[in-house]
Amino acid sequence: MPLALDTSQGAAELAESLLPPLGNRWLHTQAVAARAREASAAVPEAERDLLVASAWLHDIGYAPELRDTGFHPLDGARHLESLGAPDRLVRLVAHHSGAVYEAEQRGLSAELDVYDREDSPILDALIYADMTTGPAGQSFDFDRRMDEILDRYEVGSVVHVAISKARPYLGAAVERTRDRLRSDQPM
Ligand SMILES: [Fe+2]
């Protein structure tokens, strides 16, 4: 029986079966998973492995064989659902890194709304890991990552508009994660 997809090992195996041909996207994913592991003290102990699993899987919707709507958080979440993945993992992938903002630009809000967004330390930490990792796995601070995305996509394009609107939301999630990592409070 394959490993559960909400474990870091099961998630890593699925990611590795889909993403290596994508080059940089695979480097990015591996680095986001490592970053999520480093940030795992920001979430309750029982959720740390789920955080790392969601990091492994957050971008699987970019795999060509999963492409359906062309909106990767939704395509990734639907694929995980079709594999019987636990709901919480599906919802984290659907809502990673401000997906609602891009869904709005793409006219896919209703499709994404099928999945509830949990506003929680774990979603914040997933955003933190993704938004402090560059497109080829580099370690970037948040502002550099934002600028890099805005540079990569044309002004007025769906992603450019969505990221510009999402920036305060994403920055707040990164800040909350940093605060949790700094505090001595055990989660
Ligand atoms: Fe993504």
Side-chain angles (χ1 to χ4, degrees):
M1 204 181 124
L3 288 158
L5 294 173
D6 61 348
T7 63
S8 50
Q9 238 192 313
E13 279 179 16
L14 178 59
E16 193 166 10
S17 74
L18 291 165
L19 295 176
L22 274 64
N24 276 357
R25 194 72 68 185
W26 176 230
L27 297 179
H28 168 80
T29 292
Q30 292 173 83
V32 173
R35 194 92 170 132
R37 196 179 294 281
E38 285 165 25
S40 62
V43 307
E45 207 172 337
E47 299 182 350
R48 289 177 187 167
D49 205 45
L50 174 62
L51 167 64
V52 177
S54 69
W56 277 114
L57 296 173
H58 76 287
D59 274 351
I60 56 163
Y62 280 116
E65 53 268 67
L66 270 61
R67 201 183 153 88
D68 175 21
T69 65
F71 178 41
H72 79 276
L74 185 59
D75 291 346
R78 286 179 172 178
H79 181 69
L80 290 171
E81 205 171 26
S82 77
L83 296 176
D87 273 5
R88 208 165 165 212
L89 175 67
V90 172
R91 287 189 267 112
L92 287 165
V93 169
H95 285 286
H96 80 268
S97 299
V100 283
Y101 294 89
E102 191 173 330
E104 196 186 328
Q105 296 305 310
R106 291 179 179 269
L108 289 168
S109 296
E111 287 80 353
L112 190 67
D113 280 353
V114 168
Y115 306 102
D116 288 334
R117 185 179 86 192
E118 61 164 75
D119 289 307
S120 64
I122 190 167
L123 184 60
D124 287 348
L126 178 58
I127 291 169
Y128 167 86
D130 193 16
M131 292 298 130
T132 59
T133 302
Q138 314 92 315
S139 181
F140 276 3
D141 70 25
F142 175 70
D143 286 319
R144 180 147 183 231
R145 172 70 159 142
M146 288 291 102
D147 293 344
E148 169 279 311
I149 296 172
L150 294 172
D151 276 353
R152 202 149 34 95
Y153 294 89
E154 214 178 309
V155 176
S157 66
V158 162
V159 174
H160 199 284
V161 173
I163 281 288
S164 304
K165 290 191 175 179
R167 190 170 187 151
Y169 161 79
L170 297 172
V174 167
E175 236 1 90
R176 286 192 295 272
T177 302
R178 288 219 173 93
D179 288 346
R180 291 180 186 118
L181 290 171
R182 267 195 298 263
S183 86
D184 294 331
Q185 299 295 320
M187 291 293 305

